[in-house]
Amino acid sequence: SPLVESLSRREMETLRLIAEGYSNKEIAQKLFISLRTVKYYSTGLYNKLGVDSRMQAVIRARELGLI
């Protein structure tokens, strides 16, 4: 099923970095944001993708052609 709500630009950036294998700490450093903010974006994209983990998010995003 398609996304109920589209991902924000920052959620997409976070998703791409997750897919590339970066840790939350590394994502925070790359995007110049706090670790807490990375977790906030991750939770948002998990909810929008209907998943519970980083791996599931990557798989679902690939299925949807987002990455």
Side-chain angles (χ1 to χ4, degrees):
S1 64
L3 284 176
V4 174
E5 190 178 345
S6 63
L7 299 179
S8 71
R9 180 179 60 85
R10 280 301 213 183
E11 287 169 338
M12 282 299 301
E13 290 171 341
T14 301
L15 178 59
R16 285 189 189 102
L17 292 171
I18 288 171
E20 291 176 21
Y22 290 100
S23 69
N24 284 350
K25 183 178 179 182
E26 292 168 325
I27 293 169
Q29 291 169 341
K30 286 190 165 290
L31 298 181
F32 302 102
I33 58 178
S34 72
L35 184 58
R36 184 176 181 153
T37 303
V38 173
K39 291 177 182 178
Y40 173 81
Y41 290 139
S42 297
T43 300
L45 68 92
Y46 294 173
N47 288 335
K48 291 176 184 179
L49 292 171
V51 300
D52 298 314
S53 71
R54 294 168 68 96
M55 186 56 66
Q56 289 176 347
V58 171
I59 291 167
R60 183 77 177 120
R62 287 189 176 136
E63 289 172 351
L64 294 170
L66 297 175
I67 54 173

